[in-house]
């Protein structure tokens, strides 16, 4: 196991009817900006409950944060924060709203060109201060409610913003708030959480037994409850397990002391940026093909994944790996998430545009060992395209 530091300061408030505790979580004298996306939080009454929970505080609203939140939209929220001297941000929505709110938290006190916060990327954004924030999660998927990262869309690409200052102070996770989500968003959430785990788990062994078994438990839970949440939208227990799985997939715990890949995400971000695929759809397209092309590099963990997650006990190691990849693809498909690039209307000759984008964004040495070059990424996309 590798050396690591771990600290997660986010206070999780989990369970039904926890929104009524909002007044105890936000500082009493705070001037609050509530940020959200489209009209669903209004339509289903979540926003009304949030505003009631904030009591007599001075509250402003900012709506319209898109899926894959954009720099230009978020800068409008930054202007409100600066003009009104906002000192607390509350994200109400899914991962995109939370990610966008984190960027606003970092950008509002920043005195330079806010684009620099994006250009710094994984090297560490130059964030020395941030406005405190909390979240009310309405979509189980990204884990943004309990981590310090965000991904923001800009003309220069989809880029990360990361800082320990961006951990939410608290996150309210009420599974019943997700009952009204359309099936496609639930399916996407299951796939998103599933791949988050796999990016940290299917790399190479370092004898991290606790991390491995926690990862395997999350994967098995998602396999169990994913179909149930689609078939039974009001099943609280299934939705609660899905929600906590999504949070646990990316709150840092299973990723400490182990190598991580994230190559699927980096290619997937380009597919979303260029062709408009949902984030989870892009992951479902890339992952099986990436494993197929790189199974020799990931063999030991793929065999472990086959045996422990899918209970594949018979056959050679090669046969176990191939069947595990097939079962993973079938699982995504069973949720209604297509796994071939051609199924999303992308033309074959557009693959080269993805490679050019990867090169432009410096994504030329991906994988847990940095040996996935552009030629390998091209082969992965070629395989992912096939019908």
């Amino acid at each position: 196991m590798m050396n690591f530091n771990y600290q997660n300061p986010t206070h999780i408030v989990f369970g039904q009817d926890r929104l009524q505790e909002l007044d105890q979580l936000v500082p009493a004298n705070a001037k609050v900006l509530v940020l959200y996306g489209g009209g669903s939080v209004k339509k289903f009454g979540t926003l009304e409950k949030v505003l009631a929970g904030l009591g007599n505080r001075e509250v402003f609203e900012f709506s319209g944060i898109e899926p894959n939140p954009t720099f230009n939209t978020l800068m409008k929220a930054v202007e409100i924060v600066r003009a009104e001297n906002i000192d607390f941000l509350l994200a109400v929505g899914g991962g995109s709203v939370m990610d966008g709110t984190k960027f606003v938290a970092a950008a509002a006190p920043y005195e330079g060109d806010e684009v620099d916060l994006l250009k710094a990327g994984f090297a560490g954004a130059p964030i020395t201060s941030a406005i405190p924030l909390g979240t009310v999660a309405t979509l189980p998927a990204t884990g943004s409610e309990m981590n310090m990262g965000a991904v923001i869309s800009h003309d220069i690409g989809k880029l990360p913003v990361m800082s320990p200052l961006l951990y939410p102070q608290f996150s309210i996770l009420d599974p019943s708030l997700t009952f009204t989500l359309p099936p496609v968003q639930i399916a996407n959430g299951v796939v998103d959480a599933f791949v988050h785990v796999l990016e940290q788990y299917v790399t190479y062994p370092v004898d991290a037994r606790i991390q491995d078994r926690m990862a395997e438990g999350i994967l098995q839970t998602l396999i169990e409850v994913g179909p149930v949440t689609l078939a039974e939208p009001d099943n609280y227990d299934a939705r609660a397990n899905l929600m906590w799985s999504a949070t646990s997939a990316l709150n840092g715990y299973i990723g400490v002391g182990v190598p991580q890949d994230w190559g699927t995400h980096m290619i997937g971000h380009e597919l979303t940026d260029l062709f408009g695929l949902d984030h989870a759809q892009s992951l479902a397209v890339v992952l099986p093909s990436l494993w197929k092309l790189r199974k020799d590099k990931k063999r030991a963990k793929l065999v472990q994944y086959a045996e422990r997650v899918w209970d594949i006990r018979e056959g050679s190691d090669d046969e176990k790996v191939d069947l595990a990849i097939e079962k993973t693809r079938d699982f995504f498909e069973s949720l209604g998430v297509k796994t071939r690039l051609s199924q999303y209307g992308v033309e074959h000759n557009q693959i080269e545009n993805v490679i050019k984008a990867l090169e432009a964004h410096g994504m030329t040495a991906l994988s847990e060992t940095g040996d996935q070059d552009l030629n390998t990424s091209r082969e992965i996309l070629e395989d992912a395209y096939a019908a």
Side-chain angles (χ1 to χ4, degrees):
M1 193 187 310
M2 301 171 177
N3 295 349
F4 66 86
N5 297 327
Y6 181 72
Q7 181 180 12
N8 194 317
T10 301
H11 174 195
I12 294 296
V13 183
F14 189 99
Q16 201 158 9
D17 299 324
R18 304 300 300 274
L19 265 180
Q20 59 191 5
E21 300 171 39
L22 190 58
D23 186 56
Q24 305 163 37
L25 297 167
V26 178
N29 60 348
K31 184 181 284 191
V32 182
L33 178 64
V34 178
L35 302 95
Y36 51 95
S40 61
V41 294
K42 285 186 175 180
K43 179 180 178 181
F44 298 111
T46 303
L47 181 62
E48 182 180 357
K49 294 177 182 176
V50 166
L51 296 178
L54 290 171
N56 295 323
R57 294 172 181 82
E58 190 172 0
V59 177
F60 298 81
E61 296 179 33
F62 182 82
S63 64
I65 297 179
E66 315 92 336
N68 306 304
T70 65
F71 176 85
N72 290 338
T73 294
L74 298 173
M75 285 305 299
K76 296 175 184 177
V78 169
E79 292 173 6
I80 295 174
V81 172
R82 291 171 174 168
E84 302 296 342
N85 295 314
I86 300 295
D87 54 19
F88 196 90
L89 305 178
L90 184 63
V92 182
S96 293
V97 173
M98 297 177 202
D99 280 13
T101 300
K102 290 177 182 178
F103 175 77
V104 173
Y110 190 66
E111 295 182 354
D113 184 347
E114 295 84 3
V115 179
D116 291 342
L117 298 172
L118 302 178
K119 291 179 179 178
F122 284 118
I127 298 172
T128 58
S129 64
I131 296 173
L133 67 117
T135 83
V136 176
T138 63
L139 174 64
T142 70
S144 189
E145 64 274 7
M146 200 179 176
N147 65 42
M148 63 175 181
V151 177
I152 306 301
S153 295
H154 189 276
D155 292 343
I156 57 177
K158 289 190 67 174
L159 299 169
V161 178
M162 302 188 77
S163 169
L165 296 174
L166 299 182
Y167 279 106
Q169 290 194 348
F170 66 84
S171 288
I172 296 176
L173 278 62
D174 181 345
S176 65
L177 295 180
T178 74
F179 285 171
T180 56
L181 288 169
V184 65
Q185 290 190 352
I186 290 300
N188 281 349
V190 175
V191 172
D192 199 2
F194 202 82
V195 179
H196 283 163
V197 177
L198 295 172
E199 295 271 41
Q200 302 166 85
Y201 170 73
V202 179
T203 55
Y204 57 84
V206 292
D207 197 24
R209 304 184 192 193
I210 296 297
Q211 295 92 316
D212 277 1
R213 287 193 166 90
M214 286 193 68
E216 291 153 4
I218 297 169
L219 294 169
Q220 289 172 324
T221 300
L222 289 168
I223 291 168
E224 291 169 355
V225 305
V228 177
T229 59
L230 286 172
E232 304 172 23
D234 296 336
N235 185 320
Y236 179 85
D237 289 334
R239 196 60 62 93
N241 279 286
L242 170 57
M243 198 165 207
W244 189 236
S245 293
T247 300
S248 301
L250 205 58
N251 65 1
Y253 196 76
I254 65 170
V256 295
V258 301
Q260 301 184 26
D261 186 349
W262 301 105
T264 294
H265 272 70
M266 297 305 102
I267 298 175
H269 286 164
E270 305 299 352
L271 296 180
T272 295
D273 196 37
L274 290 170
F275 311 121
L277 275 69
D278 292 347
H279 177 57
Q281 292 171 342
S282 76
L283 303 180
V285 165
V286 175
L287 182 81
S289 294
L290 186 149
W291 281 357
K292 179 181 175 181
L293 270 294
R294 294 185 56 80
K295 61 184 177 183
D296 288 343
K297 303 284 186 178
K298 297 176 175 284
R299 181 174 303 278
K301 291 303 289 285
L302 278 171
V303 171
Q304 181 176 312
Y305 169 71
E307 293 175 345
R308 293 189 184 179
V309 175
W310 292 109
D311 197 27
I312 301 170
R313 303 291 176 177
E314 298 181 356
S316 67
D317 283 355
D318 280 345
E319 289 170 334
K320 290 177 181 177
V321 167
D322 289 344
L323 184 54
I325 295 173
E326 182 182 341
K327 282 184 172 290
T328 304
R329 185 186 296 278
D330 289 345
F331 175 58
F332 296 160
E333 295 274 359
S334 75
L335 299 170
V337 181
K338 300 179 179 67
T339 61
R340 295 294 189 182
L341 199 53
S342 57
Q343 294 174 303
Y344 292 97
V346 178
E347 300 292 335
H348 184 270
N349 60 10
Q350 293 176 302
I351 288 176
E352 201 57 34
N353 293 337
V354 183
I355 300 303
K356 290 177 181 177
L358 287 169
E359 184 174 21
H361 298 146
M363 301 298 166
T364 58
L366 301 176
S367 89
E368 60 272 29
T369 55
D371 64 345
Q372 182 180 316
D373 59 16
L374 291 177
N375 286 331
T376 304
S377 293
R378 183 183 288 106
E379 291 175 2
I380 290 167
L381 288 164
E382 290 280 356
D383 186 82
Y385 183 84

